[in-house]
Amino acid sequence: MSYLQEIIMSNNGLEGPIPINFCHLQYLLILDLSNNNISGSLPSCFGKGNIVHVHLSKNRLKGSLATQFCKSSSLVTLDLSDNQLSGNIPNCINMLGNLSYLILKNNNLEGKIPFQLCKLQKLSLIDLSQNHLSGRIPSCLNLTTDELYNEDDRVASAISAFLPRLFKDTLSIGEPVHFTTKNMVYSYKGRLLTYMSGIDLSCNKLIGEIPYEIGHLSKIHVLNLSHNFLVGGIPSTFSNLKQIESLDLSYNNLSGKIPPELVELYFLSTFSVACNNLSGKTPARIRQFATFERSCYQGNPLLCGEPMKSCSTSPPPMIQEGPTQGREDDGFIDMGVFYVSLIVSYVMVLITIAIVLYINPYWRRAWFYYTEMCFISSYHFIVDHLSKSRSNALKNVAIL
């Protein structure tokens, strides 16, 4: 058992902590316990061996990363995603000189992204999404793709000083690395993994501007900075990302214009700048950008151009007013509206009086008494005046 090189026990429903006996396996190269129910913390002895690939994703591991892996200079893959790890990413991570795939998504990591990541010259994939990381994005981040360098050669190089010649020929590398590309999770393994390069820092609390230096990563395939608090503009250097296939900058506070040079990204198939404060005209709907729908730009009220609202470059035409319309506007009153409001008000007053009289009997009797007195007074007034008028008429006839 002391010469055991691979432990691959994923998808088995294993429970409990990682056995401390694993620390005695000095020739262990691959440890894959992903997608189980393993709990507890990471053993502190991991850094003492020559392990190359660690896959512990989709478990219930807790605690901090601390410095368990800092002495594992041969480590190529570190996948601790979908756990409950907390604390900061250790600054000693720069000691992992062969680290190529760092997958720490969906944990409770906090603090800043250490600038020591910039010292990892073989880093190809960085996935720190769905954590609580804060601060600014290091401008010195650098990725590489080993298009001419086979992963088998890399592993053999990393362990050449430790692995007996007897076992070098039996080494097999085939455990996949999961990475989100084009809004879907894909599994990359073998030679295909060596061609993949990407950064996913989405769903964190990152602030500040997007470093323009990221635009110099010309071999990168995926860049996801969505769901953060980034400000400033989209760097024009992004037009240098000639190999990029997925670019997501949505749900930030970015402002300014979308660089029109982005239409030169011929391999871009997934693009989103939704829910920012961008303004100006959208990129020309040519090449790949002709396939991007309205949802890729929505949430930017000041953005115009296809497929959003059209950009108006001239003031609206003046409407000539006729003589009649001018006279109506001079009065400041729409007579039709005035008559309607007057009738409605009159009806409302009558209805209000009727309701009050129906509810209060005292006021009802007083109202009827007042109405009766008014009627009687009017009657006598009319009768008296008619009598006087008739008398005067008779006198005038008698005189004639």
Side-chain angles (χ1 to χ4, degrees), residues 150-188:
N150 194 322
E151 185 179 359
D152 293 339
D153 297 334
R154 179 189 304 176
V155 175
S157 175
I159 65 176
S160 59
F162 310 101
L163 189 62
R165 183 180 182 85
L166 177 63
F167 298 103
K168 287 184 181 180
D169 297 332
T170 62
L171 183 62
S172 61
I173 304 300
E175 296 309 299
V177 171
H178 303 282
F179 191 76
T180 302
T181 305
K182 304 175 185 177
N183 299 323
M184 296 184 65
V185 179
Y186 291 93
S187 296
Y188 300 91

Side-chain angles (χ1 to χ4, degrees), residues 100-101 121-122 124 144-151 154 191 193-197:
S100 297
Y101 315 111
Q121 299 299 318
K122 297 183 179 180
S124 297
T144 182
T145 53
D146 292 342
E147 298 182 356
L148 301 177
Y149 191 40
N150 194 322
E151 185 179 359
R154 179 189 304 176
R191 185 178 296 274
L193 180 59
T194 65
Y195 298 149
M196 188 59 188
S197 178

